[in-house]
């Protein structure tokens, strides 16, 4: 069975509707992910079931718990091999997606994969989140930010909320630690003007626990945030 056949078998039980065009593009994504991974370390999950479920399905489920509209701007912070940002770009061609990562060679691979899939609603930014979040062209310009497997929630809030417009949301893709991370992020939420709006918990086929935390931005962030990397690492909020 191919990656997308595995995905097709699982997708309906999660109530997601997708068209054939998406599956065609994801087939290209899966084969180029494997090809690129022979040259650089893009992802540890490379078996067909893993790519279908832990990458593609996991990322598609972000859309189920958001309300993406035509023209929305989304930034995926620490996109790595394009998760969830590039999957969302394929699924939501009417949205504009920025894929940001501090590792240039990963972004180059993702750029090649996107171009081979014929995806053109994406922009690639090679920067650290805490540097990009200070720049006027990125600060408070996005309806949504997303991140998966980049840092603990209180650190992620400082990386991502500067990009989000007041009224927009940060969608944090987490595993079983979600509730503990929310507990540890109370000060960061207060300081950065974020409010936990929704926590959507579910399990992937195979049983892995997942949670998508929707953090709504309710007020502007003080200009001193995000702080420089060393300060964030030394003294997380
Ligand atoms: N989001 C992808 C996924 O779920 O497969 C990649 C996860 S990978 C473990 C973490 C990625 O975040 C790496 O590609 C790394 O370069 C990037 N990253 C870590 N800290 C970052 C920062 N401060 N700014 C931008 N990218 C960062």
């Amino acid at each position: 069975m191919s990656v997308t056949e595995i995905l097709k078998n699982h997708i309906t039980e999660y109530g997601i509707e997708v068209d054939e065009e998406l599956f065609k593009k994801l087939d290209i994504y899966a084969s180029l992910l494997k090809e690129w991974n022979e040259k650089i370390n893009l992802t540890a999950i490379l078996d067909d079931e893993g790519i279908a479920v832990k990458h593609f399905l996991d990322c598609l489920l972000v859309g189920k718990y958001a309300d993406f509209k035509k023209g929305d701007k989304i930034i995926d912070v620490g996109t790595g091999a394009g998760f969830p940002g590039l999957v969302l770009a394929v699924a939501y061609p009417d949205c504009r997606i920025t894929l940001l990562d501090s590792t240039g060679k990963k972004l180059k691979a993702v750029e090649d994969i996107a171009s081979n899939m014929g995806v053109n609603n994406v922009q690639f930014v090679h920067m650290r989140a805490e540097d990009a979040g200070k720049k006027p062209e990125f600060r408070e310009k996005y309806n949504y930010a997303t991140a998966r497997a980049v840092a603990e929630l209180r650190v992620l809030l400082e990386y991502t909320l500067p990009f989000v417009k007041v009224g927009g949301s940060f969608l944090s893709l987490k595993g079983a630690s979600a509730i503990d991370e929310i507990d540890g992020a109370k000060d960061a939420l207060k300081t950065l003007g974020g409010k936990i709006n929704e926590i959507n918990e579910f399990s992937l086929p195979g049983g892995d626990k997942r949670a998508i935390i929707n953090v709504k931005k309710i007020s502007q962030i003080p200009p001193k945030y995000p702080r420089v990397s060393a300060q964030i690492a030394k003294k997380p909020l």
Side-chain angles (χ1 to χ4, degrees), residues 74 84-95 97 99 119-122:
I74 304 167
L86 186 53
V87 176
L88 295 177
V90 179
Y92 298 91
D94 291 336
C95 294
I97 324 272
L99 304 176
V119 170
N120 47 27
N121 55 330
V122 280

Side-chain angles (χ1 to χ4, degrees), residues 1 7 19 49 59 63 114 134 166 169-170 174 181-182 186 190 197 237:
M1 235 191 299
L7 181 62
D19 58 23
E49 176 79 20
C59 296
K134 289 265 187 212
V166 173
S169 288
F170 164 47
K174 288 289 178 189
E181 290 196 41
I182 290 170
K186 290 204 168 94
K190 207 167 158 196
N197 198 28
L237 291 170

